[in-house]
Amino acid sequence: MPRKKTKHLFVTATDTDAGKTLVACAIINILTKARKVAVFKPISAGCDNVNGQLVNHDALQLKQQANCNQPLESINPIAFEEPIAPHIAAQTLGQKINAVQVSNLFDSLDSFAPDVILTEGAGGWRLPLGEGQFLSDFAKQTEQHVILVVNMKLGCLNHALLSYEAIKRDGLTVVGWVANCIEPMDYQQENITELSQYLDAPLLGVVPSVENAEQASKFLNEDMIEQIASFHQE
């Protein structure tokens, strides 16, 4: 019997605090209506110590949206308490992180038999792991389909275009992008229109400042989300 294909979606962003978790949870909210969705937040820095377990708030939100009944440690296997660059946090503890380690942890999620594995990155596309490696190396190794979250603020055009170009140079496909409008921005629509001309990927939605993933999902194009999670376009 042939092995079931699993779609790999990777949510990255133009910078830290750009709204990756909100958008990722909104996408999961849409996909779990008809699919088994596992989630992966491989690396986090900035966790609460809860009864001896490091709990990252973003990972917890992903867990609450997914429907594969994953333990938190399978969602966020590499966690650090201090809210600093993860490779620096690892160094302070005498630990190392590398792309092969992350890929192996990702492969273990097949045991949940998901239709989709949605990974949320950390920071932007080029998150350092140390010793010349980046989280983007894991994305390449596992052939992720990338969704880019653009934090709509002054400077977003440069950040979005550089991120997009780096993803393309890595040989991966940006299957869509989301304009995340966290704060008011002068000429916001003009900036979105400009990005739509430069980014060779569909705009999946324009998300205003909202309180939760359920609200955010209403501003995403559900048909497009369903399409990028399927295999018939490949």
Side-chain angles (χ1 to χ4, degrees), residues 103-191:
S103 294
N104 289 338
L105 291 165
F106 176 82
D107 289 343
S108 70
L109 298 180
D110 285 341
S111 64
F112 295 97
D115 300 307
V116 178
I117 303 175
L118 185 144
T119 299
E120 182 194 332
W125 182 246
R126 284 282 185 258
L127 178 84
L129 301 181
E131 299 184 352
Q133 293 192 38
F134 301 89
L135 188 59
S136 53
D137 294 325
F138 148 75
K140 289 190 289 183
Q141 289 172 7
T142 51
E143 300 180 333
Q144 300 283 329
H145 288 74
V146 183
I147 296 170
L148 176 63
V149 179
V150 178
N151 185 4
M152 297 304 300
K153 63 178 185 178
L154 189 63
C156 66
L157 298 178
N158 176 62
H159 293 159
L161 293 174
L162 288 177
S163 298
Y164 176 80
E165 290 165 5
I167 295 165
K168 297 290 284 185
R169 278 198 304 271
D170 283 341
L172 297 178
T173 301
V174 179
V175 293
W177 68 283
V178 175
N180 195 33
C181 307
I182 301 171
E183 300 289 343
M185 178 190 187
D186 291 338
Y187 301 101
Q188 184 179 88
Q189 184 55 54
E190 287 83 352
N191 278 269

Side-chain angles (χ1 to χ4, degrees), residues 13-58:
T14 46
D15 53 9
T16 301
D17 295 328
K20 289 189 303 297
T21 304
L22 177 71
V23 172
C25 286
I27 292 170
I28 298 163
N29 184 266
I30 290 170
L31 294 180
T32 50
K33 294 174 183 177
R35 292 175 171 83
K36 286 186 66 178
V37 181
V39 290
F40 192 47
K41 173 80 176 176
I43 301 169
S44 69
C47 300
D48 297 322
N49 192 319
V50 181
N51 299 322
Q53 181 183 23
L54 292 178
V55 176
N56 177 261
H57 182 64
D58 293 348

Side-chain angles (χ1 to χ4, degrees), residues 2 23-24 38 42 59 63 66 68-69 73 110 140-142 159 186 190 192 194 196 198 214 216 220 230 234:
V23 172
K63 175 179 171 62
C68 280
N69 197 30
E73 56 268 24
D110 285 341
K140 289 190 289 183
Q141 289 172 7
T142 51
H159 293 159
D186 291 338
E190 287 83 352
I192 292 171
E194 189 87 0
S196 295
Y198 285 116
E214 289 75 13
L220 297 179
S230 66
E234 299 178 354

